[in-house]
Amino acid sequence: MKQPDYLRAVQGFARRELLGKEAYLDALAEAPLPLYGRFAGTGLANWWMPKEFGGPGMGLEEGVRIAAELAYADAGAAFTLFIPVLATSMVNWYGDAELRERHLGPLVAGNGFCATLGSEHAAGSELARISTTARREGGAVVLDGRKAFSTNTDFARFIVVIARAEDDPAGYLAVLVPRDTPGITVEKRWDVIGLRSSATYQVALSGVRVPAGNVLRGNGLRLLEVGLNASRILIAATALGIARRVRDVCMEYAKSKSVKGAPLTANAVFAGRLGQFEMQIEVMANQCLAAARAYDEIAARPDAGEEFLRVGTLKQALTTKMFCGQTGWGIASTASEMFGGLGYTHESVIGKLLRDMRYVSIVEGGDDVLRDLVFSRYVVPVSKRS
Ligand SMILES: Cc1cc2nc3c(=O)[nH]c(=O)nc-3n(C[C@H](O)[C@H](O)[C@H](O)COP(=O)(O)OP(=O)(O)OC[C@H]3O[C@@H](n4cnc5c(N)ncnc54)[C@H](O)[C@@H]3O)c2cc1C
């Protein structure tokens, strides 16, 4: 089947800029911003941004295909390029008209990045225990705290901070903060084991003051849940892309590897493993696309923001990330074994693919946390099963 133009543009970028450049991408050098600048040359930077802000206005189904294609070449690049969807979804649906106009249009025009700051060390995944505070002072809101992980913050145009309302123990806010606001300190960049062409930071917020109009409408934790729907499905799509690459790398290796006097490709054990990979890849792809369609169906509604608030966490976003993370990890792990000792060295790209794959089952909720959520939200509720 003929590829659509946007996918051919992504493949062209991946071939020119990412494939074969693994040593550079895996080096944890400076975040490769010029590289991301060149992605903008495809016309697809922030591809999900609505047309009303000058964006390409693409759906999550196309997003799954783009993220998988990028991750085939480098999952760190894929993650860097799509993770702004988390912050922009919250701002687009829950920011007032002036705030959206002031920040979303320029983000698109400048092919820029934004970031979300939710995670904290002590709270872990129990986000209701976060200690970053938002204090109302006249017409302003002042933020104080420390955020453990936030991707893209250093070079973001704006960040969205999730904070506890100082005057309401049960209240949480999501606040848009321009990156150049005084009081934001990037304390360090994490030395991560995979996705090393992406950049994730620990950030301190001290007396960060913005107008009260920068507070998004609704409970900040609920808005974060809504924002995570798209990014969790795209994280799952990166597992798909990495798994496809693993399969192809195995086939390449097997051509030159001889076992019992014949190439590995002629070996029944190898064939069985690759056949199994293909079945799993097919199911991952279908699952990612089905989840994306469920999301797009809601996103197309005129009351999408309200409907997402009602739904909160989409079941498909949770199950797809879990399934693709677990299946992808099984594929990468089996494949690394197939390379023998070489699979445990930096000689082959398989080690990088294995490390990159690991993040799928950790970031935006580890599997224990997601299993807990699926159980409490989607297994128990049949009449609350008293
Ligand atoms: C590369 C990278 C990029 C990231 N980018 C961002 C970002 O841009 N913005 C952001 O806000 N965060 C970001 N994060 C944070 C990331 O989303 C969290 O690290 C992830 O959700 C796991 O949460 P945690 O680190 O708080 O660990 P926890 O969830 O606290 O997990 C630690 C341990 O506690 C266990 N545990 C926790 N809850 C339960 C439960 N309910 N049941 C059973 N066991 C449980 C876990 O299984 C695990 O063993 C990033 C992290 C990484 C590594």
Side-chain angles (χ1 to χ4, degrees):
M1 195 180 80
K2 193 170 169 279
Q3 300 280 28
D5 287 348
Y6 72 88
L7 220 45
R8 269 188 288 132
V10 175
Q11 281 165 349
F13 169 80
R15 263 197 302 271
R16 278 192 313 277
E17 305 283 354
L18 305 175
L19 281 171
K21 307 210 165 118
E22 287 77 18
Y24 163 68
L25 295 165
D26 204 27
L28 204 87
E30 293 266 293
L33 298 184
L35 175 77
Y36 298 128
R38 291 195 290 280
F39 179 73
T42 62
L44 291 167
N46 294 310
W47 61 80
W48 58 90
M49 285 303 292
K51 293 200 161 115
E52 68 172 298
F53 301 111
M58 300 176 92
L60 196 61
E61 190 174 340
E62 288 125 322
V64 159
R65 296 181 203 280
I66 293 171
E69 205 58 55
L70 287 169
Y72 181 92
D74 183 55
F79 187 61
T80 304
L81 291 164
F82 74 67
I83 199 61
V85 74
L86 171 50
T88 58
S89 309
M90 290 189 276
V91 176
N92 186 31
W93 283 318
Y94 310 111
D96 72 23
E98 205 230 308
L99 192 74
R100 297 159 73 219
E101 202 54 51
R102 191 145 33 90
H103 294 283
L104 297 184
L107 180 84
V108 172
N111 300 315
F113 292 88
C114 56
T116 304
L117 283 70
S119 306
E120 296 183 12
H121 286 300
S125 288
E126 293 174 87
L127 286 173
R129 297 200 303 128
I130 56 172
S131 58
T132 295
T133 54
R135 186 174 71 253
R136 291 190 188 269
E137 271 186 20
V141 168
V142 182
L143 298 162
D144 287 282
R146 172 173 283 128
K147 292 296 186 179
F149 300 100
S150 69
T151 303
N152 293 355
T153 287
D154 201 30
F155 47 91
R157 283 172 177 254
F158 65 80
I159 61 180
V160 172
V161 179
I162 310 299
R164 165 188 291 284
E166 206 178 60
D167 57 359
D168 173 7
Y172 297 88
L173 306 181
V175 187
L176 185 153
V177 181
R179 174 64 183 86
D180 57 3
T181 309
I184 302 173
T185 307
V186 170
E187 295 186 322
K188 69 168 172 182
R189 178 176 169 199
W190 291 99
D191 186 356
V192 283
I193 65 160
L195 301 184
R196 285 166 68 84
S197 62
S198 67
T200 296
Y201 306 94
Q202 177 173 293
V203 177
L205 306 163
S206 175
V208 176
R209 180 182 295 270
V210 292
N214 285 31
V215 176
L216 308 185
R217 178 174 47 83
N219 180 298
L221 294 185
R222 190 70 169 176
L223 305 196
L224 182 63
E225 277 194 350
V226 170
L228 287 167
N229 284 328
S231 50
R232 280 178 171 150
I233 294 169
L234 293 175
I235 289 176
T238 59
L240 169 65
I242 302 169
R244 284 176 173 154
R245 178 80 178 281
V246 166
R247 172 201 62 200
D248 291 353
V249 166
C250 286
M251 284 303 289
E252 203 49 47
Y253 166 73
K255 278 196 270 175
S256 57
K257 170 73 184 170
S258 157
V259 173
K260 295 185 178 170
L264 193 54
T265 41
N267 183 286
V269 173
F270 176 83
R273 284 180 167 177
L274 269 283
Q276 176 80 4
F277 286 179
E278 197 59 25
M279 173 274 288
Q280 291 169 314
I281 287 169
E282 173 98 350
V283 178
M284 287 163 82
N286 288 334
Q287 183 58 34
C288 287
L289 291 169
R293 281 182 209 117
Y295 176 96
D296 283 340
E297 214 169 280
I298 300 179
R301 290 170 56 142
D303 64 342
E306 298 318 305
E307 180 61 13
F308 271 123
L309 265 190
R310 199 186 60 73
V311 173
T313 294
L314 269 184
K315 183 181 184 184
Q316 292 94 330
L318 301 176
T319 54
T320 304
K321 189 172 99 68
M322 287 164 71
F323 179 80
C324 290
Q326 291 167 23
T327 309
W329 179 249
I331 290 174
S333 170
T334 304
S336 79
E337 214 179 305
M338 281 157 62
F339 282 73
L342 269 184
Y344 205 60
T345 71
H346 291 290
E347 287 297 303
S348 162
V349 73
I350 197 73
K352 172 184 183 291
L353 298 173
L354 182 76
R355 286 183 283 109
D356 284 350
M357 187 70 90
R358 182 71 287 189
Y359 97 106
V360 178
S361 298
I362 296 176
V363 176
E364 297 198 353
D367 276 6
D368 284 330
V369 174
L370 300 196
R371 273 189 279 266
D372 197 27
L373 263 176
V374 170
F375 178 73
S376 59
R377 304 256 174 111
Y378 294 104
V379 181
V380 173
V382 182
S383 69
K384 296 283 179 209
R385 305 202 178 188
S386 53

Short mmCIF file of all heavy atoms in Angstrom, two decimals, residues 193 253 329 332-355:
data_model
loop_
_atom_site.label_atom_id
_atom_site.label_comp_id
_atom_site.label_asym_id
_atom_site.label_seq_id
_atom_site.Cartn_x
_atom_site.Cartn_y
_atom_site.Cartn_z
N ILE A 193 19.13 5.70 31.16
CA ILE A 193 19.77 4.54 30.51
C ILE A 193 19.30 4.34 29.07
O ILE A 193 19.95 3.67 28.29
CB ILE A 193 19.58 3.23 31.32
CG1 ILE A 193 18.09 2.82 31.37
CG2 ILE A 193 20.16 3.33 32.72
CD1 ILE A 193 17.90 1.35 31.71
N TYR A 253 21.22 -9.65 11.20
CA TYR A 253 22.25 -10.43 11.90
C TYR A 253 22.22 -11.89 11.45
O TYR A 253 23.26 -12.51 11.21
CB TYR A 253 21.99 -10.31 13.41
CG TYR A 253 22.74 -11.30 14.26
CD1 TYR A 253 24.13 -11.15 14.48
CD2 TYR A 253 22.10 -12.38 14.86
CE1 TYR A 253 24.82 -12.06 15.27
CE2 TYR A 253 22.78 -13.28 15.65
CZ TYR A 253 24.14 -13.12 15.85
OH TYR A 253 24.81 -14.03 16.63
N TRP A 329 9.00 -5.45 25.58
CA TRP A 329 10.13 -5.85 26.42
C TRP A 329 10.48 -7.33 26.17
O TRP A 329 11.65 -7.70 26.07
CB TRP A 329 9.81 -5.61 27.90
CG TRP A 329 10.91 -6.03 28.82
CD1 TRP A 329 10.88 -7.07 29.69
CD2 TRP A 329 12.21 -5.42 28.92
NE1 TRP A 329 12.09 -7.15 30.35
CE2 TRP A 329 12.92 -6.16 29.90
CE3 TRP A 329 12.83 -4.35 28.30
CZ2 TRP A 329 14.23 -5.84 30.27
CZ3 TRP A 329 14.14 -4.04 28.65
CH2 TRP A 329 14.83 -4.77 29.62
N ALA A 332 12.35 -7.45 22.81
CA ALA A 332 13.71 -6.90 22.87
C ALA A 332 14.63 -7.82 23.69
O ALA A 332 15.80 -8.01 23.35
CB ALA A 332 13.67 -5.49 23.47
N SER A 333 14.08 -8.38 24.75
CA SER A 333 14.89 -9.23 25.61
C SER A 333 15.26 -10.54 24.89
O SER A 333 16.42 -10.95 24.88
CB SER A 333 14.08 -9.51 26.89
OG SER A 333 14.70 -10.48 27.65
N THR A 334 14.28 -11.17 24.25
CA THR A 334 14.55 -12.38 23.48
C THR A 334 15.56 -12.10 22.38
O THR A 334 16.50 -12.87 22.15
CB THR A 334 13.24 -12.92 22.83
OG1 THR A 334 12.29 -13.12 23.87
CG2 THR A 334 13.47 -14.20 22.07
N ALA A 335 15.38 -10.96 21.72
CA ALA A 335 16.26 -10.62 20.60
C ALA A 335 17.69 -10.39 21.08
O ALA A 335 18.64 -10.83 20.43
CB ALA A 335 15.73 -9.38 19.88
N SER A 336 17.85 -9.75 22.21
CA SER A 336 19.21 -9.47 22.66
C SER A 336 19.94 -10.78 22.96
O SER A 336 21.14 -10.91 22.72
CB SER A 336 19.22 -8.53 23.87
OG SER A 336 18.92 -9.22 25.04
N GLU A 337 19.20 -11.79 23.41
CA GLU A 337 19.78 -13.11 23.67
C GLU A 337 20.24 -13.75 22.36
O GLU A 337 21.23 -14.47 22.32
CB GLU A 337 18.66 -13.95 24.28
CG GLU A 337 19.07 -14.95 25.31
CD GLU A 337 17.81 -15.66 25.81
OE1 GLU A 337 16.87 -14.98 26.26
OE2 GLU A 337 17.78 -16.91 25.70
N MET A 338 19.48 -13.47 21.28
CA MET A 338 19.81 -14.09 20.00
C MET A 338 21.16 -13.64 19.46
O MET A 338 21.73 -14.28 18.58
CB MET A 338 18.70 -13.77 18.97
CG MET A 338 17.48 -14.66 19.18
SD MET A 338 15.96 -13.95 18.52
CE MET A 338 16.34 -13.84 16.81
N PHE A 339 21.67 -12.53 19.96
CA PHE A 339 22.96 -12.02 19.50
C PHE A 339 24.12 -12.62 20.28
O PHE A 339 25.27 -12.23 20.08
CB PHE A 339 23.01 -10.49 19.60
CG PHE A 339 22.28 -9.81 18.49
CD1 PHE A 339 20.89 -9.81 18.45
CD2 PHE A 339 22.97 -9.18 17.47
CE1 PHE A 339 20.21 -9.21 17.41
CE2 PHE A 339 22.30 -8.57 16.43
CZ PHE A 339 20.91 -8.58 16.40
N GLY A 340 23.81 -13.55 21.21
CA GLY A 340 24.88 -14.13 22.01
C GLY A 340 25.59 -13.04 22.80
O GLY A 340 24.98 -12.03 23.19
N GLY A 341 26.90 -13.20 22.98
CA GLY A 341 27.70 -12.23 23.75
C GLY A 341 27.62 -10.84 23.14
O GLY A 341 27.61 -9.83 23.86
N LEU A 342 27.52 -10.77 21.81
CA LEU A 342 27.45 -9.47 21.14
C LEU A 342 26.26 -8.64 21.61
O LEU A 342 26.29 -7.42 21.65
CB LEU A 342 27.31 -9.66 19.63
CG LEU A 342 28.57 -9.72 18.79
CD1 LEU A 342 28.17 -9.82 17.32
CD2 LEU A 342 29.44 -8.49 19.03
N GLY A 343 25.19 -9.36 21.98
CA GLY A 343 23.98 -8.68 22.46
C GLY A 343 24.19 -7.97 23.78
O GLY A 343 23.37 -7.16 24.18
N TYR A 344 25.31 -8.29 24.42
CA TYR A 344 25.60 -7.68 25.72
C TYR A 344 26.74 -6.65 25.59
O TYR A 344 27.37 -6.28 26.57
CB TYR A 344 25.98 -8.78 26.73
CG TYR A 344 25.73 -8.39 28.17
CD1 TYR A 344 24.44 -8.05 28.60
CD2 TYR A 344 26.76 -8.36 29.10
CE1 TYR A 344 24.22 -7.67 29.91
CE2 TYR A 344 26.54 -7.99 30.41
CZ TYR A 344 25.26 -7.65 30.82
OH TYR A 344 25.04 -7.27 32.11
N THR A 345 26.98 -6.23 24.37
CA THR A 345 28.03 -5.23 24.13
C THR A 345 27.41 -4.04 23.40
O THR A 345 26.25 -4.10 22.96
CB THR A 345 29.15 -5.80 23.23
OG1 THR A 345 28.60 -5.95 21.90
CG2 THR A 345 29.66 -7.15 23.74
N HIS A 346 28.23 -2.99 23.25
CA HIS A 346 27.77 -1.83 22.48
C HIS A 346 28.06 -1.99 20.98
O HIS A 346 27.83 -1.07 20.21
CB HIS A 346 28.41 -0.55 23.01
CG HIS A 346 27.90 -0.17 24.38
ND1 HIS A 346 26.62 0.28 24.59
CD2 HIS A 346 28.50 -0.19 25.60
CE1 HIS A 346 26.45 0.53 25.88
NE2 HIS A 346 27.58 0.24 26.52
N GLU A 347 28.59 -3.16 20.58
CA GLU A 347 28.89 -3.39 19.16
C GLU A 347 27.62 -3.41 18.32
O GLU A 347 27.62 -3.00 17.17
CB GLU A 347 29.60 -4.73 18.98
CG GLU A 347 31.04 -4.77 19.45
CD GLU A 347 31.91 -3.81 18.66
OE1 GLU A 347 31.95 -3.94 17.43
OE2 GLU A 347 32.54 -2.94 19.28
N SER A 348 26.57 -3.93 18.92
CA SER A 348 25.31 -4.05 18.18
C SER A 348 24.30 -3.05 18.74
O SER A 348 24.31 -2.74 19.93
CB SER A 348 24.76 -5.47 18.34
OG SER A 348 23.40 -5.48 18.00
N VAL A 349 23.41 -2.61 17.87
CA VAL A 349 22.38 -1.64 18.28
C VAL A 349 21.33 -2.29 19.20
O VAL A 349 20.54 -1.60 19.84
CB VAL A 349 21.72 -1.02 17.02
CG1 VAL A 349 20.81 -2.04 16.34
CG2 VAL A 349 20.94 0.25 17.35
N ILE A 350 21.36 -3.63 19.30
CA ILE A 350 20.30 -4.30 20.06
C ILE A 350 20.27 -3.86 21.53
O ILE A 350 19.21 -3.74 22.14
CB ILE A 350 20.43 -5.85 19.92
CG1 ILE A 350 19.13 -6.53 20.33
CG2 ILE A 350 21.59 -6.42 20.70
CD1 ILE A 350 18.03 -6.38 19.35
N GLY A 351 21.45 -3.56 22.09
CA GLY A 351 21.50 -3.11 23.49
C GLY A 351 20.77 -1.79 23.67
O GLY A 351 20.02 -1.58 24.63
N LYS A 352 20.98 -0.87 22.71
CA LYS A 352 20.27 0.42 22.78
C LYS A 352 18.76 0.21 22.68
O LYS A 352 17.98 0.82 23.42
CB LYS A 352 20.74 1.34 21.64
CG LYS A 352 19.93 2.63 21.51
CD LYS A 352 20.38 3.46 20.32
CE LYS A 352 19.64 4.78 20.21
NZ LYS A 352 18.22 4.68 19.86
N LEU A 353 18.35 -0.66 21.77
CA LEU A 353 16.90 -0.89 21.58
C LEU A 353 16.28 -1.46 22.85
O LEU A 353 15.17 -1.09 23.24
CB LEU A 353 16.68 -1.81 20.39
CG LEU A 353 17.18 -1.26 19.04
CD1 LEU A 353 17.06 -2.31 17.94
CD2 LEU A 353 16.42 0.01 18.65
N LEU A 354 17.03 -2.35 23.51
CA LEU A 354 16.54 -2.93 24.77
C LEU A 354 16.41 -1.84 25.84
O LEU A 354 15.38 -1.74 26.52
CB LEU A 354 17.53 -4.00 25.24
CG LEU A 354 17.19 -4.76 26.51
CD1 LEU A 354 16.10 -5.79 26.24
CD2 LEU A 354 18.42 -5.50 27.06
N ARG A 355 17.41 -0.98 25.95
CA ARG A 355 17.35 0.11 26.96
C ARG A 355 16.25 1.09 26.62
O ARG A 355 15.55 1.59 27.49
CB ARG A 355 18.71 0.82 27.04
CG ARG A 355 19.78 -0.03 27.75
CD ARG A 355 21.09 0.71 27.89
NE ARG A 355 21.87 0.74 26.66
CZ ARG A 355 22.08 1.80 25.90
NH1 ARG A 355 21.56 2.97 26.25
NH2 ARG A 355 22.80 1.75 24.80
#
